[in-house]
Amino acid sequence: MTVDPATKQSGGPVSEPEPRRGAVALLVISGGLCAVLSVFYLGLYIGGVPFPVVILLAAVMNLLLVAAMRTETGSLGRAALPLVAWAVVFLLCLAGGPGGDQVVVADWRLLLLPVAALAPAGFYLFSARLKEITRAVRPPEQRP
């Protein structure tokens, strides 16, 4: 629907634009894809040494996905959706497949992956929520 600028009423409440559903869906799917790739490449070795660089990459990727989702939606609750998708897909990868097949390697990297991949984004959401709370509690004369 288009509005003629000459007949548009001014002074009305300005509403926030709705988040694009395709972008939100893409960010949530990217969170799940990040979990799948993290699990698949968790057993990476260089020579005879375990090389879990995917743990660092998952942490950075989840942080970027959460920041992008917060920018898109403007909501901290919806910004956590990529993390929820990551956790659900990670738990699905832990489940055994048909015939008892396992996707993940059962060693210290498996314990480190969810902690290191979710902690930076979780800390970002926590600190953003604290800033919102302190901004709301601050007296009106001190607000910027």
Side-chain angles (χ1 to χ4, degrees):
M1 179 174 119
T2 59
V3 177
D4 183 16
T7 60
K8 180 178 151 185
Q9 294 179 358
S10 62
V14 178
S15 63
E16 292 290 323
E18 287 293 317
R20 297 171 294 188
R21 290 181 182 164
V24 170
L26 184 64
L27 289 169
V28 172
I29 291 170
S30 295
L33 183 63
C34 177
V36 168
L37 293 175
S38 299
V39 168
F40 283 174
Y41 288 104
L42 188 60
L44 186 65
Y45 277 83
I46 292 184
V49 180
F51 191 68
V53 71
V54 74
I55 295 173
L56 177 65
L57 293 175
V60 171
M61 189 65 186
N62 281 337
L63 183 60
L64 292 174
L65 287 172
V66 166
M69 182 70 97
R70 182 175 180 211
T71 302
E72 181 64 32
T73 62
S75 165
L76 285 175
R78 288 188 214 155
L81 287 176
L83 291 183
V84 172
W86 192 95
V88 167
V89 172
F90 178 75
L91 290 174
L92 287 175
C93 288
L94 288 179
D101 293 339
Q102 291 289 322
V103 177
V104 294
V105 233
D107 64 355
W108 60 273
R109 294 171 288 180
L110 180 63
L111 295 174
L112 186 61
L113 178 62
V115 173
L118 298 176
F123 181 74
Y124 169 77
L125 289 172
F126 179 73
S127 64
R129 181 65 181 148
L130 278 179
K131 286 179 186 175
E132 282 185 356
I133 291 171
T134 55
R135 191 175 302 129
V137 175
R138 189 178 305 161
E141 62 272 358
Q142 293 180 357
R143 291 184 187 163

